[in-house]
Amino acid sequence: MIGLANAIRYAALSLLITAAYGDSLVIKNVHVHPVTAPDIENGQVLIVDGKIADVGKKVTGRGAKIIDGHGLDLYPGLINAATNIGLEEIGSLRDTVDLNEIGEFNPQLMARMSFNPSSSHIDVTRSAGVTSVLTLPGSGGGRPGPEATVFYGQGAVMRLDGWTWDDMTVKAGAVLDMNFPVIGNAPPKPFPEMEKEYRKKLDQIADFFENARRYQKAKAAANSDFKPDPRFEAMIPVLEGQRPVFVRAARERAIKEAVAFADRQKIKIIIAGPEEIGDTGPLLKARQIPVILGDTLALPLHDDSPYDSRYTLPNEFYKAGVKICFGTFDVQFARNVGFQAAAAVAFGLPYDAAVKGVTINAAEILGVDSQLGSIDKGKLADLILTDGDPLEAKTNIKMEFIDGKQVSLENRQTQLYEKYLNRP
Amino acid sequence: MRIAIFFLITFAIARARAETFLIKNATVMTVSKGKIENGSVLVENGKIAAVGHDITAPAHGTVIDATGMFLTPGLIDCHSHTAIEGNVNEGSVSDAAMVNVKDVINPYDVNIYRALAGGLTVSNVLHGSANAIGGQTVVIKLRWGKDAEGMLFAGAVPGIKFALGENPKRQGYPRTIFSGPNARERRYPGTRLGVEDVIREDFTKAKIYQQEWAEYNARIARGENPIPPRRDLQLEPLVEVLEGKRYLHCHSYRSDELLMLMKLSDEIGFKIRTFQHALEAYKVAKEIAARHIGVSTFSDWWSYKIEVVDAIPYNAAICVRKGIVTSLNSDSDELQRHLNYEAAKTMRYGGLTEEEALSLVTLSPAKQLGIDKRVGSIDVGKDADLVLWNKYPLSNYSKAMQVWIDGTKYFDVADDLKARADVAAKKKVLLEKEKARQESDKKKAPSGPKNPKAPGEVL
Amino acid sequence: MKRALAVAVAGLVCAVCVRAAAPSAIAIKDARIVPVSGPDLPRGTVLLRNGLIEDVGPDLTIPADAWVIDGAGLTVYPGFIDGLSTWGVSPPPRPEPAAGSNAASPPRAQGPEDRPEDDAFERAADLMNPSDSRLQMARDAGFTTAAAFPERGIFGGEGAIVDLAGARGRDMVVASPIGQYIALRTRGFAAGFPNSLMGVIAYVRQTYLDLDWYKRANVVYAAHVSGNKRPGYDHYLEALGNSPRVLLPATEAQQIDRMLSFGVELKQPFIIYGLHEAYRRIDELSRSKTPVFVSLKWPAAPKDGDPANVPDYRTLVMRDQAPGVPGLLARAGVSFGFYDDGVDKTADLKKAVRKAIDAGLAQADAIRALTLNVAEIYGVADRMGSIEKGKIANLVVTRGDAFADKTKIEYVFVDGQQFKPSEDEPAKAAGDTAALRTTGAPPALGPQYPAVRAMSDHGVETSVCAIRACE
């Protein structure tokens, strides 16, 4: 029983290489799952300066520290493409939540600069094999109706290890978090009236973009009188197509409207948290608009929807040729992102698409695929060593590396576990 | 061979009444007696008639070839709010013992069917947690298609919901949503101290009430003419708890409050059947185990409020190791659809064995609800509540294919597929009819004043 | 707006002017007569005198003093009866908040013993307002009578059978008490007990247990005063104890199941009202022999709804099947009637009944459901519900079959008083109950005691204007 309690510690200790293992490291005797290439049985990975220097049947790392993987599986670290980690500690305590700032247009707000590097969610999520996350400044909540928030601010890709938020930033300003307005989010009014309200809101957004463009032009032709404005400044990467807009759009109509909006504004968007596909598949495919899916394990939209209509949703987007990845849109269950992908497999999604949906596809959609998402030469060495499929709940994460550095799998929960398991 | 054997393609069985059938070549996960590879289960008259390797096919009945598939007992959820019509909480008072979930079971709640499709067959349907003493609870079988009466698990001991901690005291806070221009009246209690007080006081009242009836009956027996005591629906359930006729299921989180109720129960003399959620049960597992109280917890919930900061996904595992009858519950219309996935998490968090993990959502909740002689494992004589899975049920890739309750099939993936096409077609017709109705209503002389508003004009 | 004002002014003017002469008797001759209690008379005469049906038959001798209406081409039906209505009932005044208290609502109830939402003691018979504009609206649709109830709270109060015209409120009352109106409604979370459906059910259950106890305790006390604590006086239970039956709501199938067993549990004679999903429970209703009232507010798509909100299958089935319920009930032999359920336009009322007929309710069954059935359910068939000698002269006279497309209602007789249906919906005058309902304001003083006492009972009016003068 004690041995069981110490399973994690054992895994850590028996394989632990001291933090100061130098600049290069070889992980050998592992089943490598690069995700972007065929699996390598009994393979090896060379890590130099925190990056993957080589991967194959045999790598040469002169003077490198060696870790024996004992035939375990090596995967790229999982990516959760939608969370609020670092910005929310205890959901019901407003003082510990830094989401949904007041105001409709806040494109200048930056999630990463308020990311709490000591949040207990970081350790807990990391120990489940999630090595990086998109942290968002919004939660889709906030005020409904005409004063609903439009832009929450910028989300950042964060690695779940480091001393400061600065260390932990993989990509600042990765996305602009947007709450797409919906018709009829207000108390019941006749539909035409609500639609009018909605159109007005869209006009407001269009005006904001128009002003942002005027600002952009004025800045380009800048002289000494030019007055900078943080809000419009933050829109320039969006207008230039450098920063995709993370568009929260759940229903078919909202998705279509969001696509039309992106067409009009000529901006790059990601559809986030869709709850149905309707006939949006071809629209999204034609424009190569990717989708960040929320929980697969969710209730159907309508009483008479098929019981598995949310379970099959990932596969429906996949079949439509849309690039998908997974996010949990929360903090509490951020560690379970792999299980959400697995549930989609139970209901039709090809297994490879599920794995990619928590690794390389997430990296591509968030624009960090040059650094993350697969075991490929040149990428950051964010790796997990497991005793099986990382999407399965019964699988254990045995060892984990972020930027080539082995990270602790301990957290407050494992500490409490050991403490109380051994209570006399 | 005069035996009529129907080697049906596994799922192509029309829904039938409780029938005789044999499931063969399945991996049978009995939960009570390990796993039987290539096993068979014979069902007769709604009961499990035989379990093993070589069971002769019945003379009259169906044989289901479940090669490659897994058979488990129906899953059991010890904490559900599914099928409650109206508000889940009678939250207006700190003691709502007079209300009864049994009165408001809605057999048309589609979440029953959705849960069934995830292998769930039994639910403990509970009142919410807004009050120290909540409403009465009821155990149902998810017999989709039956009326409310037909859902009830006959013979299951009824329960009552208690609640400790933040939820029952929330309406006593001087601030939060209870202040400002729309201030609501505060309700006692506003602290954990007050929660204890409410429970103590009301049990005290219940004992007096019990006494009043005893005295009344004694006076009647003596030939006197007393006025009978007024029947009090708020106190009667507590009397039943005192008399062991009603199970006490207590929503709780922190170890201090768990211990508080245990000490109070020692002092007053009532039994706690289960602690619900009990996310810090692992801290007082010894005390809980000593009193034979069950723990029905979450797999990995935490951090949503301050009283769950010390919640750990190892809670179930520690409780099991300390000898507590432990279950995992859903408390959610969604989560109840995949309690098998929830159970699998305890293999990662705490290293439970496959059978221990599966028991958390089958035999153990059955024990907690006092229905383990009837359900919870695949044993001869038990109700034929069975689930056939396409894959190893503790895998996140598994899916329930067929579900039986009392030997009657209530879910079949193949039937479901057929039914959805049927409903879609019928719905299309109904929508067209509705459109036609609307148009004909418009055409007919408009009702009301002779100058009706122009169509689309905003009223 | 202008129009409404004009009618209102006309009403006021009339109130002090016209008074037509009243005939001592009226004979409707050569009309088709549908007595409901017996076979139709293809050609006959109905004779009215003193507010009663003096005689009916194929070959009546018409007395010399009678004013004669040529009934050729006309059909005479008993006046229609609404099974559960608030027509004519003024909302009871709310208690004034205590001085200095800024809370408009009563104190938060702590449990059943506080009797929240309990108006059991209110009696429709004491609250009748003959100037309620809905009376004319209802008469214009052929309704002469309603089982009227106060409707506030969970225990709404005691109903009365009322005729839908009269000089004073009390003149309208035919029978009282007839039943306690129960609504399983809840207020907001902050309003106190009960705030859930299960809470309301527990509350009603406890109240009837209390009633049972109250009765028994008083019997014991009366016989053995010494040594027993007095049971006390309970205003609410006194009222409940005098009620002959209870009305329970159930629209959906599971609610019907629930109320069928709850009614039995309460040990009271009961009626179920609502019934839109009763097509799933016809057998159960038939077996239970429980009388029911079907709501005429058929479920329908909301106006100005979001086109993207496609209703679910069950809702669609209910919208499609609900109007078929009366036909099914009739064929299964269930004793049923209709109630307006807030439908407050003449044309809509007619259209709603027509829907049930189109969905399979036989014309004769529809008429019976609107007349004799309701009278039987409330035990007043000895005085109304059919065209029989000695019954109250409540009649509807139509040109064509009632509820057929082109049919026009020519006359309505209430207590022998003749009304000519208006082509217009009545204007809502200030002080109308209907208007009060939305504002929640207390009623203006004394609608039951009109300042202008225009005429004696049972007078026959010959103009629309004069009818308003009755106020």
Side-chain angles (χ1 to χ4, degrees), chain C residues 85-428:
Chain C
S85 180
T86 61
W87 293 338
V89 185
S90 306
R94 289 190 182 277
E96 290 290 321
S101 153
N102 57 359
S105 51
R108 195 180 153 123
Q110 297 299 317
E113 24 334 303
D114 288 342
R115 303 275 185 258
E117 302 283 301
D118 191 340
D119 277 4
F121 51 84
E122 295 290 355
R123 295 163 70 95
D126 295 332
L127 296 167
M128 295 315 297
N129 170 16
S131 64
D132 184 340
S133 68
R134 292 176 303 164
L135 298 182
Q136 186 198 329
M137 177 281 298
R139 285 192 307 255
D140 289 355
F143 286 88
T144 62
T145 308
F149 293 83
E151 61 150 1
R152 198 170 67 195
I154 293 166
F155 291 91
E158 192 58 44
I161 299 290
V162 298
D163 279 346
L164 299 179
R168 308 175 194 83
R170 64 176 191 247
D171 299 328
M172 299 166 69
V173 178
V174 177
S176 174
I178 58 164
Q180 183 66 220
Y181 172 60
I182 290 186
L184 301 181
R185 58 171 68 125
T186 53
R187 297 182 293 172
F189 190 71
F193 181 86
N195 73 357
S196 64
L197 176 61
M198 56 182 136
V200 179
I201 289 173
Y203 172 37
V204 174
R205 175 181 289 134
Q206 178 73 63
T207 304
Y208 276 96
L209 283 177
D210 287 353
L211 174 61
D212 187 47
W213 173 83
Y214 189 67
K215 285 178 177 167
R216 293 193 327 171
N218 274 300
V219 169
V220 176
Y221 186 67
H224 311 278
V225 172
S226 179
N228 269 322
K229 194 172 177 236
R230 67 177 189 279
Y233 173 79
D234 192 316
H235 184 37
Y236 304 89
L237 298 180
E238 289 287 342
L240 218 51
N242 288 326
S243 186
R245 58 182 70 77
V246 51
L247 284 82
L248 300 169
T251 296
E252 296 173 6
Q254 80 282 359
Q255 296 167 343
I256 294 170
D257 293 339
R258 189 179 293 141
M259 287 304 111
L260 280 177
S261 59
F262 193 53
V264 171
E265 186 194 331
L266 294 181
K267 295 185 202 143
Q268 305 286 321
F270 65 102
I271 295 169
I272 292 180
Y273 64 92
L275 279 294
H276 282 163
E277 212 182 21
Y279 49 88
R280 298 173 98 142
R281 289 297 186 273
I282 295 298
D283 291 347
E284 289 80 355
L285 286 166
S286 170
R287 273 200 301 276
S288 79
K289 309 228 181 303
T290 304
V292 299
F293 293 126
V294 182
S295 162
L296 284 172
K297 195 156 113 203
W298 303 120
K303 273 184 193 153
D304 286 328
D306 183 339
N309 288 345
V310 179
D312 66 56
Y313 181 63
R314 186 184 182 190
T315 304
L316 281 172
V317 171
M318 211 194 306
R319 286 181 193 164
D320 184 55
Q321 300 285 308
V325 164
L328 296 172
L329 292 173
R331 283 195 287 283
V334 176
S335 175
F336 77 101
F338 288 103
Y339 72 107
D340 61 276
D341 202 6
V343 175
D344 60 358
K345 293 196 175 78
T346 302
D348 290 349
L349 276 174
K350 289 191 203 166
K351 213 193 285 180
V353 176
R354 175 60 197 261
K355 268 204 162 133
I357 294 170
D358 288 346
L361 178 66
Q363 172 81 12
D365 290 335
I367 299 299
R368 201 177 203 289
L370 285 162
T371 56
L372 195 54
N373 278 5
V374 187
E376 286 168 352
I377 290 170
Y378 283 115
V380 291
D382 54 356
R383 67 203 81 171
M384 57 169 55
S386 60
I387 304 179
E388 286 178 273
K389 195 169 165 176
K391 285 197 173 180
I392 295 170
N394 288 343
L395 302 173
V396 190
V397 184
T398 62
R399 190 171 298 281
D401 276 351
F403 305 109
D405 254 352
K406 306 260 155 149
T407 292
K408 211 175 139 212
I409 296 178
E410 293 288 341
Y411 304 103
V412 174
F413 292 87
V414 180
D415 275 328
Q417 186 181 348
Q418 179 185 325
F419 294 92
K420 181 88 180 156
S422 158
E423 295 294 305
D424 295 329
E425 290 292 331
K428 286 191 168 65

Side-chain angles (χ1 to χ4, degrees), chain B residues 159-283:
Chain B
I160 187 165
K161 173 82 169 281
F162 278 36
L164 311 177
E166 292 180 21
N167 293 13
K169 70 180 180 132
R170 192 170 291 145
Q171 287 187 62
Y173 293 169
R175 287 179 203 283
T176 69
I177 55 167
F178 302 98
S179 68
N182 300 316
R184 295 167 175 187
E185 210 173 317
R186 282 191 281 156
R187 190 197 79 188
Y188 188 88
T191 66
R192 282 182 170 79
L193 292 69
V195 171
E196 188 260 7
D197 176 51
V198 166
I199 296 170
R200 179 187 296 274
E201 183 181 333
D202 288 8
F203 267 115
T204 307
K205 281 191 208 157
K207 283 187 161 179
I208 294 170
Y209 178 72
Q210 203 179 13
Q211 190 58 35
E212 276 173 4
W213 275 100
E215 276 167 23
Y216 168 76
N217 289 328
R219 287 185 66 187
I220 289 284
R222 289 200 298 269
E224 295 174 26
N225 293 295
I227 290 178
R230 167 186 175 269
R231 276 193 62 192
D232 191 323
L233 295 179
Q234 195 178 24
L235 295 175
E236 284 182 6
L238 296 185
V239 172
E240 288 167 355
V241 170
L242 286 167
E243 293 173 350
K245 295 174 189 159
R246 183 174 289 279
Y247 288 160
L248 196 171
H249 301 290
C250 188
H251 161 113
S252 48
Y253 287 111
R254 261 175 27 191
S255 65
D256 50 76
E257 64 202 27
L258 296 169
L259 189 59
M260 174 278 282
L261 195 70
M262 288 189 276
K263 289 289 191 184
L264 192 61
S265 74
D266 295 346
E267 183 190 327
I268 292 179
F270 61 87
K271 285 243 173 342
I272 303 161
R273 185 70 186 186
T274 66
F275 281 121
Q276 297 285 327
H277 312 325
L279 295 182
E280 286 189 14
Y282 68 93
K283 294 185 179 176

Side-chain angles (χ1 to χ4, degrees), chain A residues 20-57:
Chain A
Y21 48 66
D23 292 329
S24 60
L25 173 70
V26 170
I27 306 172
K28 65 164 205 177
N29 191 18
V30 287
H31 189 117
V32 183
H33 302 263
V35 176
T36 44
D39 290 4
I40 306 161
E41 266 181 73
N42 195 10
Q44 301 185 343
V45 174
L46 172 67
I47 299 167
V48 178
D49 289 336
K51 290 189 173 168
I52 298 163
D54 200 3
V55 54
K57 271 288 192 198

Side-chain angles (χ1 to χ4, degrees), chain A residues 1 4 8 88-93 120-121 124 127-128 190 192-193 196 296-308 310-311 331-333 335-336 339 341-343 345-347 351 389-397 412-414 416-417 420-424, chain B residues 108 110-111 113-114 117-118 166 170 282-287 299-306 309-314 317-318 321-322 333-334 337-338 341-342 344-345 347-352 390 392 394-400 411 413 416 420 423 427 456 458-459:
Chain A
M1 220 168 282
L4 181 91
I8 288 169
E88 173 184 324
E89 201 60 28
I90 309 231
S92 73
L93 292 185
S120 57
H121 290 277
V124 165
S127 62
E193 201 175 315
K196 218 187 270 172
T296 307
L297 296 168
L299 284 171
L301 276 180
H302 311 290
D303 272 9
D304 56 2
S305 306
Y307 82 93
D308 59 358
R310 298 294 294 278
Y311 297 166
V331 295
Q332 189 186 171
F333 299 115
R335 60 179 157 191
N336 292 347
F339 308 157
V345 176
F347 288 83
Y351 175 74
D389 178 356
L391 307 191
E392 284 265 33
K394 61 183 160 66
T395 300
N396 293 289
I397 312 296
R412 184 176 163 72
Q413 300 186 341
T414 58
L416 285 166
Y417 171 48
Y420 284 95
L421 188 66
N422 296 314
R423 180 188 161 197
Chain B
Y108 295 102
V110 69
N111 289 310
Y113 180 75
R114 291 168 177 167
E166 292 180 21
R170 192 170 291 145
Y282 68 93
K283 294 185 179 176
V284 285
K286 193 164 77 173
E287 289 78 1
S299 57
D300 58 357
W301 295 28
W302 72 299
S303 84
Y304 47 99
K305 50 179 168 173
I306 196 70
V309 283
D310 275 7
I312 61 174
Y314 306 90
I318 295 182
R321 293 287 167 257
K322 302 280 182 180
D333 287 341
E334 205 295 308
R337 312 201 294 155
H338 44 85
Y341 298 169
E342 295 301 293
K345 289 175 184 169
M347 296 168 80
R348 171 183 290 194
Y349 299 115
L352 290 193
N390 65 341
Y392 179 59
L394 291 163
S395 161
N396 291 64
Y397 305 121
S398 64
K399 173 175 165 182
F411 175 76
V413 157
D416 180 88
R420 61 178 83 165
V423 165
K427 192 168 171 176
V458 174
L459 291 168

